[in-house]
Amino acid sequence: MASPLLKIRAERDRLSAIERRIGDFVLENAHLLRDYSSQQLAGALGISQSSVVKFSQKLGFRGYPDLKFSVGESVAREREPIAVAPAATVDVPAVADALWQGKSQAEAATRSINPESGLQSIAAALHAAGRVVVVGSGEDNLAARAFALRLSLLGVAAAYHPDPALAAAQVAGLGEGDLLALFSEQGQQPALLQLAKLARERGARVLSATRHSSNPLRTIADHALLVSAHDARPHVAMLLYHSALQQLLDVVIVQLCAMPGRQARLADHQARMRRLLDP
């Protein structure tokens, strides 16, 4: 059975208000859930005990005790330390295997919450766009810049901006048929929200790339790319997030390549680059 934490994240948008409250509590307090009985959990949330039981069963468990046990196992797996030699020398094969497994799990989780039809709609929107402005700041700028470059290679009129303030002039010039792509892991940056609102006012569509969470940027966007990547160690969580995001963007690019004329544009650009680079 898949991780209950992953199930809650994947199903959150389809849960009722009470179920979301229970799910959010479980996600935020997974490491403490073993100390809560169903009655205590219900009391902490001000709901009935039967709501907790029904929530557990909706996730595929026989009851709350099974859910609690499975959550405990998931937390233990996420917190399992990577082996380190006594002399503080990193066991490279062990680290590589653990990281590969973590990335695979994050990419599988991300794939499960991004339906194929949604990715096809995003590829179609990019194909039809007159202009595309891509904005990403901080750690999000690397993925945003690479995405804009790949769009350009496929013949999409894409411009990348690392600074939301400087991007405002470009966004103000967007109109019907254009698209603004915003990269923000947490989806909370006020400057990006202002850009999204400006684009919508101009008639352009908005694509967001964020974590699979309830965030204002995802809410305002016409299309949303969602990433599910979690680890108790911040430095590993960061790597898993960007790996899963890159895989998601690569899928969109491959689908865009299937659109009429895009592969020919790519071949033309690659031929020009070879002529420039060859001695």
Side-chain angles (χ1 to χ4, degrees):
M1 180 177 287
S3 163
L5 303 180
L6 171 58
K7 279 191 171 185
I8 294 171
R9 294 184 185 110
E11 297 292 329
R12 190 183 186 282
D13 288 347
R14 292 186 284 273
L15 299 177
S16 67
I18 290 179
E19 290 168 343
R20 281 198 298 271
R21 288 176 60 196
I22 300 172
D24 290 343
F25 184 91
V26 172
L27 291 173
E28 294 169 6
N29 301 277
H31 60 296
L32 300 175
L33 199 65
R34 65 180 183 277
D35 299 324
Y36 281 81
S37 65
S38 59
Q39 185 175 8
Q40 290 171 325
L41 177 55
L45 294 174
I47 60 176
S48 66
Q49 187 175 2
S50 63
S51 295
V52 176
V53 176
K54 290 177 181 177
F55 173 80
S56 304
Q57 292 172 340
K58 187 168 185 176
L59 292 180
F61 297 92
R62 289 193 297 271
Y64 175 73
D66 286 341
L67 170 63
K68 181 166 68 170
F69 178 77
S70 184
V71 168
E73 284 191 324
S74 295
V75 171
R77 284 195 298 270
E78 288 184 358
R79 290 188 167 186
E80 185 175 348
I82 295 175
V84 178
T89 300
V90 176
D91 183 346
V92 175
V95 170
D97 288 344
L99 191 57
W100 181 266
Q101 183 179 16
K103 287 182 176 181
S104 298
Q105 292 172 349
E107 289 168 10
T110 296
R111 185 167 60 249
S112 72
I113 57 177
N114 289 274
E116 183 179 349
S117 58
L119 297 179
Q120 289 174 341
S121 295
I122 291 171
L126 291 166
H127 177 66
R131 289 177 296 169
V132 176
V133 174
V134 183
V135 183
S137 58
E139 291 184 3
D140 295 297
N141 67 5
L142 296 177
R145 181 171 59 182
F147 185 60
L149 175 60
R150 289 187 173 91
L151 292 178
S152 296
L153 290 174
L154 292 175
V156 177
Y160 161 71
H161 289 277
D163 187 335
L166 296 178
Q170 287 278 339
V171 175
L174 296 179
E176 294 282 348
D178 296 330
L179 187 143
L180 170 64
L182 299 172
F183 286 65
S184 175
E185 181 175 352
Q186 304 303 331
Q188 304 282 352
Q189 288 176 275
L192 296 185
L193 295 174
Q194 290 300 320
L195 289 180
K197 292 175 182 177
L198 178 59
R200 296 289 295 275
E201 290 172 1
R202 297 296 190 270
R205 302 184 70 79
V206 176
L207 165 66
S208 66
T210 71
R211 278 193 175 275
H212 181 51
S213 61
S214 295
N215 62 76
L217 184 56
R218 170 187 177 184
T219 301
I220 199 174
D222 299 287
H223 306 281
L225 292 171
L226 304 172
V227 178
S228 178
H230 304 272
D231 194 278
R233 298 154 295 180
H235 63 289
V236 175
M238 172 187 67
L239 298 175
L240 300 187
Y241 174 83
H242 288 288
S243 175
L245 173 60
Q246 189 58 62
Q247 173 68 13
L248 191 58
L249 295 173
D250 287 347
V251 172
V252 172
I253 291 296
V254 170
Q255 291 188 335
L256 183 57
C257 284
M259 302 290 178
R262 293 300 174 189
Q263 290 197 40
R265 289 289 191 93
L266 175 61
D268 181 59
H269 280 301
Q270 289 177 328
R272 291 175 184 273
M273 290 174 65
R274 282 194 295 270
R275 288 196 294 270
L276 289 172
L277 297 174
D278 286 346

